mmCIF file of all heavy atoms in Angstrom:
data_model
loop_
_atom_site.group_PDB
_atom_site.id
_atom_site.type_symbol
_atom_site.label_atom_id
_atom_site.label_comp_id
_atom_site.label_asym_id
_atom_site.label_seq_id
_atom_site.Cartn_x
_atom_site.Cartn_y
_atom_site.Cartn_z
ATOM 1 N N TYR A 1112 181.924 46.562 4.879
ATOM 2 C CA TYR A 1112 181.243 47.386 5.869
ATOM 3 C C TYR A 1112 180.220 46.496 6.557
ATOM 4 O O TYR A 1112 179.402 45.866 5.891
ATOM 5 C CB TYR A 1112 180.562 48.592 5.209
ATOM 6 C CG TYR A 1112 181.556 49.526 4.577
ATOM 7 C CD1 TYR A 1112 181.837 49.450 3.221
ATOM 8 C CD2 TYR A 1112 182.234 50.460 5.347
ATOM 9 C CE1 TYR A 1112 182.767 50.289 2.639
ATOM 10 C CE2 TYR A 1112 183.164 51.307 4.773
ATOM 11 C CZ TYR A 1112 183.427 51.215 3.419
ATOM 12 O OH TYR A 1112 184.356 52.047 2.858
ATOM 13 N N ILE A 1113 180.275 46.457 7.876
ATOM 14 C CA ILE A 1113 179.416 45.544 8.628
ATOM 15 C C ILE A 1113 178.576 46.336 9.624
ATOM 16 O O ILE A 1113 179.092 47.174 10.362
ATOM 17 C CB ILE A 1113 180.261 44.502 9.389
ATOM 18 C CG1 ILE A 1113 181.048 43.646 8.395
ATOM 19 C CG2 ILE A 1113 179.379 43.627 10.274
ATOM 20 C CD1 ILE A 1113 182.029 42.700 9.052
ATOM 21 N N LEU A 1114 177.296 46.043 9.637
ATOM 22 C CA LEU A 1114 176.378 46.563 10.644
ATOM 23 C C LEU A 1114 175.862 45.349 11.405
ATOM 24 O O LEU A 1114 175.338 44.415 10.790
ATOM 25 C CB LEU A 1114 175.219 47.310 9.973
ATOM 26 C CG LEU A 1114 174.121 47.827 10.891
ATOM 27 C CD1 LEU A 1114 174.669 48.907 11.823
ATOM 28 C CD2 LEU A 1114 172.956 48.357 10.087
ATOM 29 N N ASN A 1115 176.059 45.313 12.714
ATOM 30 C CA ASN A 1115 175.548 44.174 13.489
ATOM 31 C C ASN A 1115 174.644 44.659 14.612
ATOM 32 O O ASN A 1115 174.715 45.805 15.045
ATOM 33 C CB ASN A 1115 176.672 43.281 14.008
ATOM 34 C CG ASN A 1115 177.572 43.949 15.017
ATOM 35 O OD1 ASN A 1115 177.220 44.942 15.630
ATOM 36 N ND2 ASN A 1115 178.765 43.407 15.194
ATOM 37 N N TYR A 1116 173.776 43.766 15.065
ATOM 38 C CA TYR A 1116 172.849 44.078 16.147
ATOM 39 C C TYR A 1116 172.424 42.770 16.786
ATOM 40 O O TYR A 1116 172.453 41.705 16.158
ATOM 41 C CB TYR A 1116 171.640 44.875 15.646
ATOM 42 C CG TYR A 1116 171.044 44.322 14.382
ATOM 43 C CD1 TYR A 1116 169.997 43.399 14.417
ATOM 44 C CD2 TYR A 1116 171.543 44.711 13.141
ATOM 45 C CE1 TYR A 1116 169.466 42.886 13.243
ATOM 46 C CE2 TYR A 1116 171.014 44.199 11.968
ATOM 47 C CZ TYR A 1116 169.982 43.283 12.027
ATOM 48 O OH TYR A 1116 169.467 42.768 10.869
ATOM 49 N N GLY A 1117 172.066 42.852 18.057
ATOM 50 C CA GLY A 1117 171.671 41.648 18.761
ATOM 51 C C GLY A 1117 170.954 41.961 20.059
ATOM 52 O O GLY A 1117 170.810 43.119 20.451
ATOM 53 N N ALA A 1118 170.531 40.892 20.726
ATOM 54 C CA ALA A 1118 169.841 41.010 22.006
ATOM 55 C C ALA A 1118 170.063 39.726 22.790
ATOM 56 O O ALA A 1118 170.354 38.675 22.215
ATOM 57 C CB ALA A 1118 168.350 41.253 21.798
ATOM 58 N N GLY A 1119 169.915 39.829 24.114
ATOM 59 C CA GLY A 1119 170.087 38.644 24.941
ATOM 60 C C GLY A 1119 169.852 38.945 26.404
ATOM 61 O O GLY A 1119 169.261 39.956 26.760
ATOM 62 N N PHE A 1120 170.347 38.038 27.264
ATOM 63 C CA PHE A 1120 170.151 38.169 28.706
ATOM 64 C C PHE A 1120 171.437 37.800 29.433
ATOM 65 O O PHE A 1120 172.320 37.138 28.883
ATOM 66 C CB PHE A 1120 169.019 37.246 29.176
ATOM 67 C CG PHE A 1120 169.418 35.801 29.186
ATOM 68 C CD1 PHE A 1120 169.892 35.204 30.344
ATOM 69 C CD2 PHE A 1120 169.357 35.044 28.024
ATOM 70 C CE1 PHE A 1120 170.294 33.875 30.345
ATOM 71 C CE2 PHE A 1120 169.746 33.719 28.021
ATOM 72 C CZ PHE A 1120 170.211 33.128 29.182
ATOM 73 N N THR A 1121 171.532 38.234 30.681
ATOM 74 C CA THR A 1121 172.661 37.868 31.547
ATOM 75 C C THR A 1121 172.158 37.599 32.960
ATOM 76 O O THR A 1121 171.109 38.106 33.378
ATOM 77 C CB THR A 1121 173.733 38.983 31.619
ATOM 78 O OG1 THR A 1121 173.126 40.183 32.077
ATOM 79 C CG2 THR A 1121 174.396 39.208 30.291
ATOM 80 N N ILE A 1122 172.926 36.817 33.673
ATOM 81 C CA ILE A 1122 172.759 36.606 35.112
ATOM 82 C C ILE A 1122 174.109 36.940 35.717
ATOM 83 O O ILE A 1122 175.138 36.470 35.228
ATOM 84 C CB ILE A 1122 172.382 35.150 35.433
ATOM 85 C CG1 ILE A 1122 171.051 34.794 34.769
ATOM 86 C CG2 ILE A 1122 172.319 34.918 36.933
ATOM 87 C CD1 ILE A 1122 170.714 33.318 34.824
ATOM 88 N N GLY A 1123 174.110 37.769 36.762
ATOM 89 C CA GLY A 1123 175.399 38.204 37.264
ATOM 90 C C GLY A 1123 175.452 38.419 38.761
ATOM 91 O O GLY A 1123 174.429 38.470 39.451
ATOM 92 N N TYR A 1124 176.670 38.542 39.234
ATOM 93 C CA TYR A 1124 176.975 38.823 40.636
ATOM 94 C C TYR A 1124 177.782 40.107 40.663
ATOM 95 O O TYR A 1124 178.799 40.232 39.979
ATOM 96 C CB TYR A 1124 177.772 37.676 41.242
ATOM 97 C CG TYR A 1124 178.319 37.965 42.611
ATOM 98 C CD1 TYR A 1124 177.493 37.968 43.724
ATOM 99 C CD2 TYR A 1124 179.680 38.238 42.796
ATOM 100 C CE1 TYR A 1124 177.995 38.242 44.983
ATOM 101 C CE2 TYR A 1124 180.186 38.507 44.053
ATOM 102 C CZ TYR A 1124 179.344 38.505 45.141
ATOM 103 O OH TYR A 1124 179.845 38.774 46.393
ATOM 104 N N HIS A 1125 177.322 41.089 41.462
ATOM 105 C CA HIS A 1125 177.927 42.413 41.509
ATOM 106 C C HIS A 1125 178.288 42.732 42.959
ATOM 107 O O HIS A 1125 177.453 42.577 43.845
ATOM 108 C CB HIS A 1125 176.894 43.405 40.975
ATOM 109 C CG HIS A 1125 177.468 44.708 40.545
ATOM 110 N ND1 HIS A 1125 176.718 45.643 39.921
ATOM 111 C CD2 HIS A 1125 178.699 45.239 40.646
ATOM 112 C CE1 HIS A 1125 177.453 46.700 39.650
ATOM 113 N NE2 HIS A 1125 178.657 46.471 40.084
ATOM 114 N N ARG A 1126 179.511 43.184 43.192
ATOM 115 C CA ARG A 1126 179.955 43.457 44.566
ATOM 116 C C ARG A 1126 180.946 44.615 44.584
ATOM 117 O O ARG A 1126 181.664 44.835 43.624
ATOM 118 C CB ARG A 1126 180.633 42.217 45.137
ATOM 119 C CG ARG A 1126 181.062 42.457 46.571
ATOM 120 C CD ARG A 1126 181.919 41.375 47.118
ATOM 121 N NE ARG A 1126 182.592 41.908 48.292
ATOM 122 C CZ ARG A 1126 182.880 41.228 49.352
ATOM 123 N NH1 ARG A 1126 182.590 39.962 49.407
ATOM 124 N NH2 ARG A 1126 183.484 41.786 50.367
ATOM 125 N N THR A 1127 180.954 45.338 45.711
ATOM 126 C CA THR A 1127 181.933 46.414 45.887
ATOM 127 C C THR A 1127 183.048 45.952 46.813
ATOM 128 O O THR A 1127 182.859 45.088 47.672
ATOM 129 C CB THR A 1127 181.291 47.673 46.506
ATOM 130 O OG1 THR A 1127 180.796 47.354 47.807
ATOM 131 C CG2 THR A 1127 180.183 48.206 45.642
ATOM 132 N N PHE A 1128 184.206 46.555 46.637
ATOM 133 C CA PHE A 1128 185.354 46.370 47.522
ATOM 134 C C PHE A 1128 185.857 47.755 47.908
ATOM 135 O O PHE A 1128 185.975 48.628 47.040
ATOM 136 C CB PHE A 1128 186.473 45.592 46.825
ATOM 137 C CG PHE A 1128 186.119 44.156 46.549
ATOM 138 C CD1 PHE A 1128 185.538 43.788 45.353
ATOM 139 C CD2 PHE A 1128 186.342 43.176 47.506
ATOM 140 C CE1 PHE A 1128 185.205 42.474 45.093
ATOM 141 C CE2 PHE A 1128 186.017 41.856 47.264
ATOM 142 C CZ PHE A 1128 185.449 41.500 46.050
ATOM 143 N N TRP A 1129 186.127 47.944 49.186
ATOM 144 C CA TRP A 1129 186.642 49.214 49.714
ATOM 145 C C TRP A 1129 185.751 50.400 49.355
ATOM 146 O O TRP A 1129 186.213 51.524 49.200
ATOM 147 C CB TRP A 1129 188.068 49.458 49.240
ATOM 148 C CG TRP A 1129 188.980 48.327 49.558
ATOM 149 C CD1 TRP A 1129 189.449 47.968 50.789
ATOM 150 C CD2 TRP A 1129 189.507 47.389 48.633
ATOM 151 N NE1 TRP A 1129 190.230 46.858 50.683
ATOM 152 C CE2 TRP A 1129 190.287 46.474 49.366
ATOM 153 C CE3 TRP A 1129 189.386 47.212 47.257
ATOM 154 C CZ2 TRP A 1129 190.940 45.418 48.767
ATOM 155 C CZ3 TRP A 1129 190.056 46.154 46.661
ATOM 156 C CH2 TRP A 1129 190.818 45.279 47.420
ATOM 157 N N LYS A 1130 184.479 50.166 49.148
ATOM 158 C CA LYS A 1130 183.448 51.175 48.876
ATOM 159 C C LYS A 1130 183.586 51.882 47.528
ATOM 160 O O LYS A 1130 182.701 52.630 47.137
ATOM 161 C CB LYS A 1130 183.398 52.225 49.983
ATOM 162 C CG LYS A 1130 183.009 51.655 51.321
ATOM 163 C CD LYS A 1130 182.901 52.752 52.340
ATOM 164 C CE LYS A 1130 182.513 52.186 53.702
ATOM 165 N NZ LYS A 1130 182.388 53.216 54.722
ATOM 166 N N VAL A 1131 184.651 51.671 46.805
ATOM 167 C CA VAL A 1131 184.826 52.378 45.534
ATOM 168 C C VAL A 1131 185.075 51.455 44.346
ATOM 169 O O VAL A 1131 184.854 51.849 43.206
ATOM 170 C CB VAL A 1131 185.975 53.411 45.613
ATOM 171 C CG1 VAL A 1131 185.634 54.529 46.573
ATOM 172 C CG2 VAL A 1131 187.272 52.753 45.985
#
Side-chain angles (χ1 to χ4, degrees):
Y1112 296 97
I1113 298 173
L1114 176 65
N1115 65 20
Y1116 46 92
F1120 73 95
T1121 57
I1122 299 170
Y1124 171 75
H1125 199 173
R1126 182 189 162 145
T1127 62
F1128 292 91
W1129 306 289
K1130 297 183 180 180
V1131 294

